[in-house]
Amino acid sequence: MFLAIAIALLGCEPICNAQKKVVEVNPDGPYAIESALQEARLARLHGEATEAEIRLSAGVYRLNQPIILRPEDSHTRIVGTTNTLISGGLKINGWKKQGKVWTADVPTFNGRPIVVRQMWVDGQKAVRARNVQNFDQMNRILSVDRKQGIIYVPATKDIKDIVGVRDAEMVLHEMWCVAFLRIKDIRIIADSAAITFHDPESHVHFMHPWPSPMTNTQGRNSAFYIVGAKKHLDTLGEWYYDEKNCKIFYMPRAGEDMTSADVEIPVLENLLTVCGTPDEPVKNVCLENVEFSYATWLRPSFAGHAPLQAGMYMTEAYKIRPQIKRPNGDHGLDNQGWVGRPLSAVDIRCANGVIVQSCRVDRCASTGVDVGTYTENCVISDCVISDLGGNGIVAGSFGGEYHEAHLPYEPLDRRETCRNLLITHNYITDVSNEDWGTTGICAGYVRGIRIVENEVSEVSYTGISLGWGWNQQPSTMADNLVRGNRIHHYAKHMYDTAGIYTLGSQPHTTIEGNVVSDIYSPSYAHDPEHWFYLYTDEGSSGITMRNNHTPSEKYLKNSCGPGNVWENNGPAVADSIAAKAWKYVK
């Protein structure tokens, strides 16, 4: 297996004895890269080349639509140089001072007004106006009326200030996820406020039981904050967008000069897709030394965001009463749910031998790199993935949009499973900074994945999550390896978490030689002790945990299946083993 991956890695190197079309590209318009790909395709069609190298010079390649690599682009290498940036951002100019804030017009994009959810100023993410600056100061909900779809909160001044305001959202802390709920109405009742929300997220959110807003937990009810109201624009570094008039307002941080600042608003959700078909996959494509930046995350503005776990949002979910008995040791099932998958900056599907090497994926609002279904022998190596709103890297299937999330998943077409993916020597930091329930690396139904020697830090939830399904029945998962990773400073905002977390039956899977340390302790976690270094959750089976260095043996084995082995984990692991865990060096 490693031999096959090593051979795939060689695909990034020029092959001297092959007919190769070389195309030099400058950032001369939104279709420069697309035009280069077309030129290379034509060379193949005319028999002039069997492979292509697209050389991107330094500069910003601003896109009007995502770049798509198709089966016709197989055997293509796209290589950048220092400061080669592929951007889904719109640069905002013409800032004018208006009292304490600066304001600018936001132009249309592709002939349409845009939705603004993120903004970066000189490369630093600005803060969408919210009612608290320090999350430790978040208020907690009072109670929940599921039938009426109401959440009761204290009627504080910041809540009263936004009665009747459109476009405000509640971001609600729910155990291992946060929900983004668009506010429909606020009704003040004495010292409390009854808040209702728009559909479809209101319907989904109040139907599903897990995760759920927490109440009656000894004063530790779910915390929340409010975003998107102009009245909360009161702190340096905050912005507000007036969608009706297409104007943006910003309070600059110290040292920022709005007459010359590089202000970027992301407008595309996906920057580059590699995708063929199951019968004609894209083969042997390499992306090297390219930076991907400024991808947005728009779903919460149109449909809210009520996730099940790891950012996978629910499209339908409900509670089962009474619980349904399940076979072969699984505990009773009390809910059903179906999930969708967030978009990503770099998306790889129906592909064989795709390599993302020495790239940067940063300043994006959702997933960084996603290697999905019908993929095999792909590699993500030596990349820096940072400042993301969602998961750093996502791999495999999560059952698909029409597969109930708690059922075992074993497609008849075995090609569908993401197989033999290598994720190695990547530095993943400051991810999940918008959707707090996402992770550093998230793998669902995968087979033969190798998550080897990466560093993961500054994560809102879990460092590495491996598996899906919440049951111990046989599925497509097997033969996975998580080895030599260094995971630290995780659980910045969420609990029910771990440095390494597993789900489901995955025979012949090994988790070894990892170093996990430095967990955060957010004051608003509803259960401040419910965190772990290693965590085998529901249905985890066939997994060997050995030689993992952790400061203590704070582990959880929850409703696991058979065949798990725990050997020599904890602070007594030899220093020689711990020292092998990979550490990023700039």
Side-chain angles (χ1 to χ4, degrees):
M1 194 173 296
F2 277 108
L3 178 60
I5 293 171
I7 291 170
L9 272 169
L10 293 176
C12 269
E13 298 300 324
I15 301 175
C16 299
N17 60 359
Q19 290 178 288
K20 181 170 63 178
K21 176 67 175 179
V22 176
V23 185
E24 304 282 351
V25 187
N26 293 304
D28 296 330
Y31 301 106
I33 299 174
E34 180 184 288
S35 297
L37 290 168
Q38 291 172 3
E39 184 178 339
R41 289 176 197 162
L42 290 173
R44 290 188 182 94
L45 286 172
H46 291 131
E48 299 167 0
T50 56
E51 64 172 34
E53 183 165 303
I54 310 298
R55 297 175 180 172
L56 305 182
S57 63
V60 179
Y61 293 77
R62 293 188 182 275
L63 306 179
N64 279 8
Q65 64 181 24
I67 300 161
I68 301 177
L69 279 75
R70 312 176 193 277
E72 290 77 9
D73 302 305
S74 293
H75 306 285
T76 293
R77 178 176 182 244
I78 298 178
V79 58
T81 185
T82 305
N83 299 322
T84 297
L85 173 65
I86 294 176
S87 171
L90 186 65
K91 186 176 174 64
I92 306 300
N93 297 308
W95 289 89
K96 297 179 181 178
K97 198 169 190 306
Q98 191 178 89
K100 293 182 178 181
V101 302
W102 287 70
T103 183
D105 293 323
V106 176
T108 60
F109 178 72
N110 290 349
R112 299 285 299 173
I114 66 172
V115 174
V116 181
R117 293 194 62 88
Q118 300 85 25
M119 184 172 83
W120 278 264
V121 180
D122 290 334
Q124 185 176 355
K125 193 172 187 178
V127 176
R128 191 178 179 199
R130 63 182 186 232
N131 67 324
V132 295
Q133 304 315 308
N134 185 339
F135 292 120
D136 289 327
Q137 297 171 352
M138 287 190 291
N139 280 320
R140 296 179 183 270
I141 66 173
L142 299 174
S143 61
V144 178
D145 183 338
R146 287 185 174 273
K147 279 192 173 182
Q148 300 299 318
I150 299 172
I151 294 179
Y152 291 90
V153 305
T156 54
K157 181 180 183 301
D158 54 345
I159 296 297
K160 292 177 180 178
D161 280 347
I162 62 169
V163 172
V165 170
R166 56 171 293 181
D167 298 331
E169 300 172 11
M170 173 186 282
V171 183
L172 179 63
H173 193 283
E174 297 182 316
M175 305 171 76
W176 58 85
C177 290
V178 287
F180 286 72
L181 306 171
R182 297 170 299 150
I183 294 174
K184 180 179 181 180
D185 181 63
I186 300 175
R187 184 163 49 97
I188 304 299
I189 309 169
D191 59 353
S192 67
I195 304 182
T196 55
F197 308 92
H198 289 288
D199 286 324
E201 68 266 32
S202 179
H203 173 70
V204 173
H205 182 261
F206 290 107
M207 284 281 286
H208 79 85
W210 305 110
S212 183
M214 301 301 296
T215 57
N216 299 319
T217 56
Q218 294 76 47
R220 303 190 70 86
N221 292 359
S222 285
F224 70 94
Y225 66 93
I226 305 295
V227 293
K230 189 176 184 181
K231 288 195 174 182
H232 295 155
L233 179 61
D234 56 8
T235 302
L236 301 185
E238 283 190 330
W239 61 268
Y240 166 78
Y241 179 52
D242 179 348
E243 186 172 352
K244 181 178 179 181
N245 297 299
C246 297
K247 284 188 175 292
I248 196 156
F249 301 85
Y250 179 59
M251 297 184 69
R253 291 171 283 229
E256 291 176 341
D257 181 355
M258 299 309 294
T259 63
S260 60
D262 176 23
V263 180
E264 304 279 350
I265 289 175
V267 289
L268 295 180
E269 292 189 271
N270 168 244
L271 305 182
L272 183 144
T273 289
V274 181
C275 188
T277 70
D279 295 323
E280 191 179 5
V282 181
K283 296 180 180 178
N284 301 327
V285 162
C286 180
L287 308 173
E288 184 177 1
N289 202 26
V290 179
E291 184 172 7
F292 298 90
S293 296
Y294 304 123
T296 187
W297 178 42
L298 296 179
R299 179 179 170 83
S301 288
F302 300 103
H305 182 60
L308 177 62
Q309 191 163 306
M312 306 300 154
Y313 56 84
M314 289 180 285
T315 56
E316 183 181 359
Y318 49 82
K319 191 175 182 66
I320 299 173
R321 297 186 182 90
Q323 290 186 359
I324 293 176
K325 291 183 179 180
R326 294 195 287 177
N328 302 327
D330 287 322
H331 65 66
L333 183 64
D334 68 354
N335 73 102
Q336 288 190 298
W338 291 260
V339 300
R341 184 184 189 121
L343 296 179
S344 61
V346 177
D347 183 21
I348 301 167
R349 287 168 288 133
C350 296
N352 186 341
V354 173
I355 299 162
V356 182
Q357 179 176 297
S358 302
C359 290
R360 296 185 71 96
V361 184
D362 54 14
R363 293 167 290 180
C364 296
S366 189
T367 301
V369 181
D370 190 332
V371 183
T373 53
Y374 293 99
T375 56
E376 61 178 325
N377 299 328
C378 294
V379 179
I380 306 171
S381 72
D382 300 283
C383 295
V384 174
I385 298 174
S386 66
D387 192 2
L388 302 185
N391 293 296
I393 297 173
V394 171
S397 171
F398 294 83
E401 189 175 353
Y402 304 106
H403 179 87
E404 203 284 313
H406 302 88
L407 292 175
Y409 186 70
E410 192 163 13
L412 291 175
D413 187 346
R414 297 298 181 91
R415 299 174 303 170
E416 184 175 335
T417 302
C418 173
R419 292 168 291 162
N420 301 343
L421 169 64
L422 175 61
I423 301 173
T424 187
H425 290 182
N426 300 289
Y427 180 51
I428 301 169
T429 188
D430 186 22
V431 298
S432 64
N433 62 29
E434 196 160 329
D435 181 1
W436 291 350
T438 52
T439 71
I441 300 173
C442 180
Y445 291 105
V446 291
R447 195 176 190 95
I449 193 172
R450 300 293 187 260
I451 304 173
V452 177
E453 296 182 357
N454 303 276
E455 183 175 356
V456 179
S457 67
E458 302 300 335
V459 183
S460 297
Y461 178 45
T462 286
I464 296 175
S465 178
L466 178 64
W468 200 249
W470 292 272
N471 69 80
Q472 59 181 279
Q473 312 314 315
S475 75
T476 191
M477 293 186 294
D479 304 318
N480 299 315
L481 175 66
V482 179
R483 186 180 69 197
N485 301 281
R486 189 175 299 273
I487 303 157
H488 57 96
H489 294 95
Y490 64 100
K492 183 179 288 187
H493 297 296
M494 309 306 295
Y495 264 31
D496 192 27
T497 182
I500 301 174
Y501 169 93
T502 67
L503 276 173
S505 174
Q506 29 189 317
H508 313 298
T509 287
T510 301
I511 298 173
E512 65 179 357
N514 303 283
V515 174
V516 181
S517 65
D518 299 295
I519 188 167
Y520 281 101
S521 181
S523 64
Y524 37 85
H526 79 279
D527 186 347
E529 295 303 317
H530 199 67
W531 63 267
F532 308 96
Y533 295 117
L534 305 173
Y535 186 167
T536 49
D537 202 2
E538 295 187 37
S540 291
S541 312
I543 299 170
T544 296
M545 287 268 194
R546 66 186 176 210
N547 296 335
N548 296 289
H549 186 280
T550 60
S552 71
E553 294 183 20
K554 189 165 174 54
Y555 310 141
L556 184 61
K557 306 167 188 177
N558 179 46
S559 300
C560 295
N564 295 323
V565 177
W566 291 72
E567 295 178 347
N568 189 37
N569 301 286
V573 170
D575 291 344
S576 59
I577 294 175
K580 293 178 182 178
W582 190 76
K583 185 173 180 62
Y584 174 69
V585 178
K586 293 183 180 179

